[in-house]
Amino acid sequence: MKPFRYQLAPDVGTAVSTLAATPNAAFLAGGTNLVDLMKLEVEQPDVLVDVRQLTSDRVEQHPEFVRIGAAVTNSTLAADPVIRERFPMLSQAVLAGASGQLRNLATVGGNLLQRTRCAYFQDVTTPCNKRDPGTGCSARDGFHREHAILGASDLCAATHPSDMAVAMVALDAVVNTQGPHGQRAIPLVGLHRLPGDEPERDTVLEHGELITSIDIPSLDFAANSRYRKARDRASYAFALVSVAAALDAVDGEVRDVRLALGGVAHKPWRATRAEAVLRGAAATEEEFREAAAVELADARPLPGNEFKIQLARNMIVAVLTELLEVRR
């Protein structure tokens, strides 16, 4: 590991200004992703600015939203009674990720910003446009079973690894930040970028911009929600495909729905096309399958991950059907 300087910032403003003034610096909270990448020499910051104690570690109810501090651990979030009752898909998503030990240390803010687990990104001996722009994408002609089928570009086919982010995108979460130019509220669906011609840029955040909290808007029917994850082994594996869904169906008709996919794109994928098809449609397996087909119509798989299209379609149908049965 390359030597670095560690700095414990006294407040958010100092942390932001320090990082903004240091080109090759990074925030450190739980460190469960960053430290691994430093050991692999994928990330080699000159300075680490510790922000673990600077943001809230509480989940707070407000009249129109629930605010989750960026320093809340994954374990705390998953176990919080408000989250479990009002947004069960979020609790389920958190518990589907990592191990208990990692969840005890990892923070919500850090989870949203974790980098891809693409094997080529993590192997500094191989070309990777995300790690070293302009060198090529080894995954496209290599092992790409776990890679993107939606939103990829010729420069990168990596997927975003977070389970939590998929559920939060489905719930219309808003990320609150403080950066060099002040505070921002960023809809989570717009936080992460598709690769385009700049795959090295994961998010729209400025250098030095710190996530301080996440707001989940109140949504009555989010209590009828599920998160389902398909993976190669029963634990400690990233999603091949995951589905976060909430359904409001009355008298055989879909009044409203929220749907997002994981493991299929460079960012958590909000399934807006499927949602549009479903609103006002009959709450039937046939309509669920049609909506899934519409959402996946633009999928462009690589030879080794074409199976993800059928897997995603089946999972969407299965999760929505399960939610429909619960409502009856």
Side-chain angles (χ1 to χ4, degrees):
M1 183 185 292
K2 175 185 172 182
F4 60 89
R5 179 167 59 88
Y6 170 85
Q7 182 167 332
L8 183 62
D11 52 56
V12 169
T14 301
V16 168
S17 61
T18 299
L19 206 79
T22 311
N24 190 28
F27 291 128
L28 175 70
T32 55
N33 182 212
L34 175 60
V35 173
D36 283 346
L37 294 177
M38 290 172 65
K39 291 176 180 178
L40 295 170
E41 298 186 351
V42 173
E43 300 279 5
Q44 300 186 61
D46 296 321
V47 180
L48 289 184
V49 180
D50 193 328
V51 296
R52 182 62 183 259
Q53 305 299 321
L54 303 185
T55 58
S56 171
D57 61 356
R58 300 179 60 189
V59 177
E60 301 174 334
Q61 288 198 75
H62 295 262
E64 297 182 354
F65 60 89
V66 172
R67 174 159 292 172
I68 303 165
V72 171
T73 66
N74 291 9
S75 291
T76 297
L77 182 65
D80 187 88
V82 173
I83 299 300
R84 294 180 65 181
E85 179 180 355
R86 296 180 59 183
F87 312 111
M89 73 157 83
L90 180 52
S91 178
Q92 293 162 10
V94 175
L95 292 174
S99 65
Q101 294 92 331
L102 287 172
R103 291 195 297 269
N104 288 341
L105 183 62
T107 63
V108 170
N111 183 285
L112 297 179
L113 298 180
Q114 63 184 300
R115 308 206 71 188
T116 182
R117 262 47 176 205
C118 173
Y120 300 105
F121 172 73
Q122 297 187 76
D123 181 357
V124 296
T125 68
T126 62
C128 171
N129 287 319
K130 178 174 283 294
R131 174 174 29 81
D132 190 6
T135 59
C137 177
S138 296
R140 300 197 70 85
D141 293 321
F143 182 76
H144 46 247
R145 183 171 184 272
E146 300 176 353
H147 285 67
I149 60 172
L150 292 167
S153 74
D154 290 339
L155 298 183
C156 185
T159 55
H160 192 269
S162 174
D163 294 290
M164 176 192 299
V166 178
M168 285 188 171
V169 161
L171 291 167
D172 292 319
V174 176
V175 176
N176 301 307
T177 70
Q178 184 167 330
H181 299 100
Q183 298 180 345
R184 286 205 289 173
I186 307 169
L188 182 53
V189 71
L191 175 68
H192 301 96
R193 299 179 64 259
L194 292 177
D197 58 3
E198 292 182 292
E200 69 276 13
R201 292 184 58 215
D202 291 342
T203 72
V204 299
L205 296 182
E206 299 177 84
H207 181 65
E209 193 167 7
L210 177 68
I211 293 177
T212 56
S213 62
I214 299 91
D215 294 340
I216 309 291
S218 298
L219 183 69
D220 290 342
F221 71 91
N224 185 42
S225 64
R226 294 288 185 277
Y227 183 81
R228 182 173 294 183
K229 177 178 180 178
R231 47 191 167 182
D232 281 329
R233 57 181 184 269
S235 66
Y236 204 72
F238 297 97
L240 292 170
V241 174
S242 64
V243 175
L247 181 67
D248 180 17
V250 178
D251 296 330
E253 181 178 300
V254 177
R255 291 198 305 193
D256 207 349
V257 63
R258 298 290 187 276
L259 190 63
L261 305 176
V264 298
H266 202 255
K267 59 184 290 184
W269 189 267
R270 182 68 181 265
T272 53
R273 292 184 178 182
E275 290 179 353
V277 170
L278 288 170
R279 291 188 182 101
T284 64
E285 182 176 329
E286 181 179 356
E287 290 292 342
F288 298 160
R289 193 165 296 279
E290 173 61 24
V294 169
E295 188 63 48
L296 296 163
D298 289 339
R300 297 294 180 267
L302 295 165
N305 65 8
E306 188 173 4
F307 73 94
K308 283 192 175 188
I309 298 176
Q310 187 64 43
L311 179 60
R313 183 181 299 122
N314 290 345
M315 289 180 65
I316 290 170
V317 174
V319 172
L320 291 174
T321 300
E322 180 182 351
L323 292 173
L324 180 62
E325 293 299 324
V326 170
R327 296 291 285 183
R328 286 175 177 169

